[in-house]
Amino acid sequence: MSWTKVLSADALAPEGRQVVKVGTRKILLVNHDNQVYAVDNTCPHLKMPMKNGKITETGAIVCPIHRSAFDLGTGEVQSWCPWPPVVGKVLSKISAEKSLPVFPVRVEEGSIWIDVEE
């Protein structure tokens, strides 16, 4: 593993979000229920930013554009393009269902570290 210090732990408030850049990737840090998660800030469906996506009670982040939901811890798809039937079928065919990339996180010595393999 190649850990990179990305942010002071104090800079990410409870329920806060921050986008950091590591190499060529933009990573979204989310502090949800006192746990820090790191996910790719780009939705795998339409390549739109995830930063303003809603966090659900089940610990998923929802794409603010097409409403697909991804588990914050695993990146697994919880729902894919849940639009009304006609629109949802069209949108879901734009891109095959894919998980949201997630990255290992550790918080120590007052800093947030993530492992991003390029």
Side-chain angles (χ1 to χ4, degrees), residues 86-99:
V86 173
V87 176
K89 286 180 183 178
V90 171
L91 281 176
S92 67
K93 290 180 181 179
I94 290 172
S95 173
E97 187 173 310
K98 295 181 217 168
S99 295

Side-chain angles (χ1 to χ4, degrees), residues 13-107:
E15 303 309 317
R17 300 170 194 203
Q18 179 75 37
V19 176
V20 296
K21 192 167 181 183
V22 178
T24 60
R25 296 192 99 128
K26 290 183 180 177
I27 309 297
L28 175 60
L29 300 174
V30 178
N31 185 346
H32 176 65
D33 283 344
N34 295 315
Q35 178 154 351
V36 177
Y37 299 92
V39 300
D40 198 308
N41 189 47
T42 305
C43 178
H45 181 242
L46 295 175
K47 309 300 183 210
M48 302 303 286
M50 295 292 290
K51 182 177 181 185
N52 294 322
K54 174 185 171 189
I55 305 294
T56 69
E57 292 178 7
T58 62
I61 186 166
V62 180
C63 176
I65 306 302
H66 71 281
R67 301 190 304 210
S68 288
F70 306 90
D71 184 277
L72 276 172
T74 66
E76 292 178 10
V77 176
Q78 288 190 350
S79 65
W80 189 257
C81 299
W83 292 70
V86 173
V87 176
K89 286 180 183 178
V90 171
L91 281 176
S92 67
K93 290 180 181 179
I94 290 172
S95 173
E97 187 173 310
K98 295 181 217 168
S99 295
L100 181 67
V102 298
F103 306 95
V105 177
R106 70 179 200 221
V107 180

